[in-house]
Amino acid sequence: MKLGMRSTRFESGPNMTPLVDVVMVILIFLMLVGTFTAGEWVIQQNASAYVTATSSSTPPPPDFVPDEPIIIRVSQPTPDKYVAQAERITTSNKDQLVAGLKSLREQLLKIGKKEEKLTIVIQPRPDVKHKYYMDVYDAALIAGFKKVSFAVSQ
């Protein structure tokens, strides 16, 4: 007979292995079925710009205007001045830029370009201060463009 010796029993709690297995199966299922991006977060690429002409392709109608964005390049020649260049517009004055962009917008609308297809892409050089390309952004909005975005220049 043993005196003072009791059998020891360790309580380690419930077995968590089945719970972890079920959670992992659910996680894998959601990763396979779910979508992670919505349509408005993806930049749409106009693939027709890269299609080469073939003998079976039909020519575009005479009033066809390609859906290409208007690119405004912004540089900073001196620390206190910027220069914005778009199409035939080259200026360092916000008011002149607004007037030029309004004129360009009206010309595009006159030749049949749709309002929702008009896009401005602002491409500042890496050394341009934030306030200068935000002036260009404001000028594009004041000129009536609804789709204004930024691109990285190299």
Side-chain angles (χ1 to χ4, degrees):
M1 188 164 161
K2 296 182 182 179
L3 296 175
M5 296 284 289
R6 289 190 244 164
S7 65
T8 57
R9 186 174 169 154
F10 296 103
E11 292 290 329
S12 62
N15 187 3
M16 297 299 287
T17 304
L19 177 67
V20 171
D21 289 344
V22 169
V23 169
M24 293 306 283
V25 167
I26 292 172
L27 180 65
I28 291 170
F29 174 76
L30 290 176
M31 287 175 63
L32 292 174
V33 174
T35 54
F36 293 102
T37 59
E40 66 253 11
W41 293 100
V42 178
I43 297 175
Q44 306 246 341
Q45 178 66 38
N46 186 3
S48 64
Y50 301 104
V51 176
T52 58
T54 61
S55 60
S56 63
S57 64
T58 58
D63 59 345
F64 174 73
V65 180
D67 294 331
E68 295 180 8
I70 300 163
I71 298 174
I72 302 176
R73 290 179 177 83
V74 184
S75 59
Q76 185 176 350
T78 62
D80 60 340
K81 180 181 171 186
Y82 72 91
V83 175
Q85 296 174 325
E87 303 282 325
R88 297 174 301 268
I89 306 164
T90 301
T91 183
S92 60
N93 185 340
K94 183 178 175 180
D95 295 330
Q96 290 176 353
L97 183 61
V98 169
L101 289 175
K102 277 184 183 179
S103 170
L104 182 61
R105 182 176 169 272
E106 289 169 3
Q107 289 172 3
L108 290 171
L109 290 174
K110 226 182 257 187
I111 63 172
K113 187 110 172 182
K114 295 181 182 175
E115 179 79 32
E116 62 270 5
K117 298 287 185 175
L118 295 176
T119 305
I120 293 278
V121 177
I122 299 171
Q123 191 175 34
R125 302 235 349 142
D127 59 340
V128 176
K129 292 181 183 175
H130 177 74
K131 67 179 180 176
Y132 294 141
Y133 60 83
M134 291 314 293
D135 276 351
V136 174
Y137 177 76
D138 287 339
L141 292 179
I142 292 169
F145 290 94
K146 304 219 181 340
K147 294 172 123 182
V148 182
S149 62
F150 293 91
V152 178
S153 62
Q154 299 173 355

